[in-house]
Amino acid sequence: MGRRRFALFICALLAAAAGLARHVVRGRAATPLDRFLALSTVLTGVGDLARDHAQIYLDCLLARPEQAAALADLYTRAGLVGDAPACPLDDLTARGVFADARLRALADEILLFWYTGQYDAADGRALATYEGSLAWRSLPYTSAPGICGGAMGSWGEPPAG
């Protein structure tokens, strides 16, 4: 095999690998957890949500048939079908998605999960995270009570900025 054929072979191999990588990423985006994370990102405006917490919240919703049906409807209305990206929150609001009381209540519950770190377990309210909840993440100048915010005496200095 000459150099030219070898170079063409390598180019073809790289192109095939890139196509396979795109296919794998698209296939991964269609998993239930990734769809729930995409929806949660739209609702919260936060992009780096914890996958383990998302799984807990998703399982909580899927355990109740009425919530599971509402979630499927919200996915469809948000454009989370197949590989399509979710619609921005403003678009969902403008299209009247949240005028449907059932979908609004579901969106509110998802927001409550993320901002409080609490969810409904079989035996009552449970805690998925305390310091990792968005309520504390949205307040970068402080930390959750009972959580060390830095070195000894760090509270004595004003916050940066």
Side-chain angles (χ1 to χ4, degrees), residues 21 34 37 39-40 73 76 83 130 141:
D34 286 327
L37 278 165
L39 176 64
S40 295
D73 192 18
T76 301
D83 295 338
Y130 174 60
Y141 54 84

Side-chain angles (χ1 to χ4, degrees), residues 2-159:
R3 281 186 276 176
R4 184 168 189 208
R5 266 188 182 224
F6 181 72
L8 290 172
F9 173 75
I10 294 298
C11 287
L13 186 62
L14 290 174
L20 179 61
R22 280 194 302 275
H23 175 71
V24 168
V25 169
R26 276 198 303 269
R28 186 175 180 275
T31 67
L33 179 59
D34 286 327
R35 284 194 331 177
F36 182 72
L37 278 165
L39 176 64
S40 295
T41 296
V42 169
L43 294 175
T44 64
V46 177
D48 61 340
L49 299 169
R51 292 180 70 78
D52 55 340
H53 302 150
Q55 188 65 61
I56 292 168
Y57 304 149
L58 177 60
D59 291 345
C60 173
L61 294 173
L62 295 178
R64 295 176 285 173
E66 71 281 354
Q67 292 293 72
L71 185 60
D73 192 18
L74 188 52
Y75 284 150
T76 301
R77 302 277 302 270
L80 285 165
V81 180
D83 295 338
C87 293
L89 186 60
D90 291 342
D91 288 357
L92 295 178
T93 303
R95 288 191 294 167
V97 171
F98 302 117
D100 181 330
R102 182 177 61 107
L103 298 183
R104 176 62 187 228
L106 176 61
D108 288 345
E109 186 168 9
I110 292 169
L111 287 168
L112 190 66
F113 289 162
W114 286 111
Y115 276 90
T116 66
Q118 297 178 14
Y119 64 99
D120 294 319
D123 57 349
R125 209 75 175 139
L127 187 66
T129 182
Y130 174 60
E131 68 180 297
S133 69
L134 293 184
W136 294 114
R137 285 181 54 187
S138 65
L139 300 169
Y141 54 84
T142 190
S143 60
I147 304 300
C148 181
M152 181 65 164
S154 63
W155 50 265
E157 297 296 321

